Amino acid sequence: MKTYILSNLRIPAGEDFILEDEIARELHLPSTSFKLHRIIRKALDTRKKDHPIWVFTVELEFYFSPPRHPDLCEVQSLKTVNLSPIFIQNPHPYIIGMGPAGLFCALAMVENGLQPWLFDKGDPLEERLIKVQDFWQKGILDENSNIQFGEGGAGTFSDGKLTSRRNEALTQRIYSELIKFGAPEEIAYEALPHLGTDGIQMIVKRIREYLLARGCKFHYRTCLTDIKLNEEKVSQVAFGNQWQEPEIVILAPGNAARDTWKMLHKRGILLEAKPFALGFRIEQKQSDINRWIYGNEHWAEILGPASYRLACKTGFTFCMCPGGKVIIAASEKNTIVTNGMSFSKRESDYGNSAIVTAVNAKNYGNGIWDGINYQINLEKKAFHPGYLAPAQRAKDFLQNQNYSHSIHSTCLPGIYPCNLNNLFSSFISSCLSSTLKYCNHIFPEFYTNSILIAPETRTSSPIKILRKKDELSSLSASNLYPIGEGSGYSGGIISSAVDGWRLGERFKIR
């Protein structure tokens, strides 16, 4: 039976409705003449202030001939890429890294009867949570187990966004897997799905339990420190002083894996520098954000806290966290890195977003480590005892004025006053200032009562581990497979999970 997609079905928000009745009204048909298969997408149009509109895309089956309608078309199959299988003899391939790329690679492998062994330099999630609290409350940083490293990856302490720019079959598979492990079904069709840090943590634990029950092994506090190559293959890997001989090595590092990148480069694995973006976090009252987006802040009681995404020639907003808080996410001692985090209910009175500008070799040099060194120098320059972050009123930053008034922030563990123009180069400051002004043009008063907290440096990996397009193996070693954000092939939870699953499902026992 053919099915059809109806798009641009617009329904006023805030009104009770039955979706089948709205579809029938739009198509001028009785609701008994079709079957609603599924909601494909549900987005919110807030362009007309104080009149938000739900915009649905749905899949339908008609019991008779479908009607003519400009927004109705026959379903086209989602793009699928069938890559050749990889046959192996050892059922225990090694996966280095327990972020979304590594975990979903393992999930795909167990579908084919494999029992991968997973390794991470950090702790299991329960112990990692304790380490993070010790960092925020006592300033005690464990460089191996923190907001960046440990089971679940860096996304475990974030807003838990599940957005994806790719509408492909694998993306839908990842949503299905997340739902299987406890995510709400709405993530499969909402335009801006999220789980919050608490939702991500719950799912990570359930994935671990599932994999353990199927014979996988988890090795915590086990850091990959070296590899040996022989005839363009990884012949041995070292975890500290212990050498092992896996048949397959899958690298799923995070975007803070600086030691790993340098070790790989030293051993002849081809890498290249890639551009990234940096800047600061802007923190604002959520009630103000709701008013800018909805036209009336009371819409938030019905629709939830509002979010925004803006871009111009000089910069863009990134990883907006409505109803969240700013956190210090350092992974190296005496450095400052900021990020945003929220819980599933997004109940904080404040929202925050990164405001960043793109940087490349023109800004920091052509050497493979120049971008990383640029990040490190900025993170060290921002450091203050107690891991406090430099902060400034947005208006003062734009006027290049020193701190003059008391400022409040949700930032954990805290902030200290600083003229951020002295932290960044004049070029970066100029780009960030122009971006702030653009945002203020879109939403007047955007920066009026806002606080800036710096620096935001880990927007994406500054390194790519080069791999073959179809085989997905390293250009330098045929049994080494780099995946995920830290390898330079994804950016976010869903795209990392897709990259991991795409590789993992190819492995089969010979």
Side-chain angles (χ1 to χ4, degrees):
M1 180 69 70
K2 292 182 179 179
T3 58
Y4 295 80
I5 291 178
L6 175 64
S7 57
N8 199 34
L9 176 64
R10 302 174 65 82
I11 304 172
E15 297 182 5
D16 293 332
F17 64 88
I18 298 173
L19 187 54
E20 287 85 348
D21 292 346
E22 297 297 327
I23 295 169
R25 185 178 296 110
E26 177 69 20
L27 297 177
H28 304 289
L29 292 174
S31 58
T32 55
S33 64
F34 63 85
K35 178 181 179 181
L36 173 61
H37 269 233
R38 66 187 177 107
I39 301 171
I40 296 174
R41 182 176 170 84
K42 177 186 178 184
L44 187 65
D45 184 346
T46 59
R47 288 174 294 180
K48 187 175 181 181
K49 301 308 175 188
D50 213 19
H51 290 86
I53 300 290
W54 291 121
V55 184
F56 285 87
T57 301
V58 295
E59 182 178 353
L60 306 171
E61 176 187 333
F62 293 94
Y63 300 127
F64 308 101
S65 297
R68 290 187 176 183
H69 189 282
D71 295 317
L72 186 69
C73 64
E74 189 175 335
V75 167
Q76 302 295 320
S77 299
L78 288 175
K79 179 182 178 182
T80 58
V81 179
N82 294 318
L83 299 174
S84 58
I86 304 169
F87 291 101
I88 59 177
Q89 294 179 336
N90 189 325
H92 308 303
Y94 282 20
I95 299 176
I96 313 300
M98 297 183 192
L103 290 175
F104 278 83
C105 184
L107 287 172
M109 284 182 169
V110 299
E111 295 280 310
N112 292 335
L114 281 76
Q115 298 171 320
W117 292 2
L118 294 90
F119 301 81
D120 200 288
K121 69 188 293 183
D123 287 309
L125 182 56
E126 293 84 352
E127 295 176 30
R128 186 182 174 203
L129 289 168
I130 295 172
K131 297 288 179 67
V132 169
Q133 290 300 321
D134 283 346
F135 172 63
W136 285 337
Q137 296 174 8
K138 305 173 185 177
I140 301 172
L141 175 65
D142 183 332
E143 291 184 288
N144 292 317
S145 190
N146 46 61
I147 293 169
Q148 304 290 340
F149 298 127
E151 185 180 31
T156 308
F157 297 93
S158 70
D159 187 52
K161 287 181 176 59
L162 302 178
T163 51
S164 175
R165 296 181 181 180
R166 293 182 178 180
N167 184 26
E168 57 179 311
L170 272 184
T171 302
Q172 294 304 314
R173 179 58 188 266
I174 298 304
Y175 287 138
S176 296
E177 290 294 311
L178 288 167
I179 291 168
K180 181 174 78 175
F181 289 109
E185 294 185 358
E186 291 80 5
I187 68 167
Y189 58 79
E190 287 185 341
L192 299 174
H194 83 105
L195 292 176
T197 181
D198 48 338
I200 292 291
Q201 291 172 24
M202 176 266 293
I203 284 175
V204 167
K205 293 176 185 177
R206 292 181 177 179
I207 289 176
R208 179 218 298 158
E209 294 168 359
Y210 178 86
L211 292 174
L212 286 172
R214 278 148 186 81
C216 302
K217 291 186 178 180
F218 283 66
H219 301 267
Y220 302 102
R221 305 296 296 190
T222 308
C223 181
L224 177 68
T225 53
D226 206 351
I227 63 172
K228 290 182 180 179
L229 298 181
N230 183 26
E231 296 181 349
E232 296 187 344
K233 282 190 173 183
V234 175
S235 58
Q236 292 181 298
V237 297
F239 300 103
N241 296 323
Q242 183 182 8
W243 287 91
Q244 300 184 28
E245 299 181 356
E247 180 183 359
I248 295 295
V249 180
I250 295 161
L251 275 177
N255 67 19
R258 293 165 177 169
D259 290 344
T260 301
W261 296 326
K262 290 185 177 181
M263 178 274 291
L264 294 172
H265 184 258
K266 183 178 179 181
R267 295 304 180 211
I269 302 299
L270 289 176
L271 317 175
E272 70 177 16
K274 60 184 284 290
F276 54 98
L278 57 80
F280 42 53
R281 283 263 148 191
I282 186 167
E283 187 166 60
Q284 299 149 320
K285 288 185 177 180
Q286 186 61 49
S287 58
D288 289 340
I289 300 171
N290 297 338
R291 178 167 43 83
W292 301 334
I293 303 299
Y294 296 145
N296 186 324
E297 63 184 84
H298 298 299
W299 277 107
E301 299 173 6
I302 301 171
L303 305 174
S307 64
Y308 54 76
R309 185 170 64 185
L310 301 169
C312 62
K313 291 182 179 181
T314 56
F316 56 95
T317 64
F318 174 79
C319 192
M320 201 268 163
C321 294
K325 60 183 65 177
V326 179
I327 59 173
I328 305 305
S331 57
E332 298 173 8
K333 289 186 177 179
N334 299 334
T335 62
I336 294 295
V337 178
T338 63
N339 197 8
M341 185 184 81
S342 67
F343 291 87
S344 55
K345 293 184 178 180
R346 290 175 163 174
E347 292 179 322
S348 170
D349 291 334
Y350 292 85
N352 69 82
S353 174
I355 293 184
V356 294
T357 188
V359 292
N360 54 40
K362 293 180 180 179
N363 304 105
Y364 47 71
N366 293 311
I368 190 168
W369 308 122
D370 287 348
I372 293 175
N373 291 333
Y374 193 72
Q375 287 179 323
I376 292 173
N377 290 336
L378 188 59
E379 293 166 8
K380 287 183 174 179
K381 189 177 180 181
F383 177 74
H384 189 278
Y387 289 94
L388 305 182
Q392 185 179 25
R393 291 182 182 274
K395 290 191 297 184
D396 292 341
F397 173 76
L398 290 170
Q399 297 172 7
N400 196 12
Q401 292 182 349
N402 291 327
Y403 165 84
S404 57
H405 304 287
S406 60
I407 52 179
H408 168 77
S409 172
T410 64
C411 182
L412 292 172
I415 58 176
Y416 71 92
C418 175
N419 186 340
L420 299 183
N421 289 281
N422 298 329
L423 179 65
F424 298 107
S425 69
S426 58
F427 173 78
I428 298 298
S429 289
S430 175
C431 289
L432 295 174
S433 294
S434 295
T435 306
L436 275 174
K437 291 175 183 177
Y438 169 80
C439 294
N440 201 71
H441 174 72
I442 301 299
F443 300 129
E445 301 184 357
F446 181 84
Y447 60 68
T448 302
N449 297 308
S450 301
I451 303 300
L452 307 178
I453 305 160
E456 176 93 9
T457 55
R458 309 282 180 88
T459 53
S460 64
S461 174
I463 291 291
K464 177 178 283 189
I465 305 172
L466 299 182
R467 72 184 186 188
K468 297 175 183 177
K469 182 178 180 181
D470 293 328
E471 291 88 344
L472 303 184
S473 59
S474 163
L475 294 182
S476 310
S478 61
N479 64 339
L480 179 67
Y481 294 86
I483 58 172
E485 187 165 353
S487 294
Y489 294 97
S490 62
I493 293 170
I494 295 299
S495 60
S496 295
V498 165
D499 201 47
W501 188 282
R502 179 183 287 113
L503 175 65
E505 69 176 356
R506 297 175 62 191
F507 287 96
K508 301 180 187 298
I509 295 294
R510 188 179 299 277

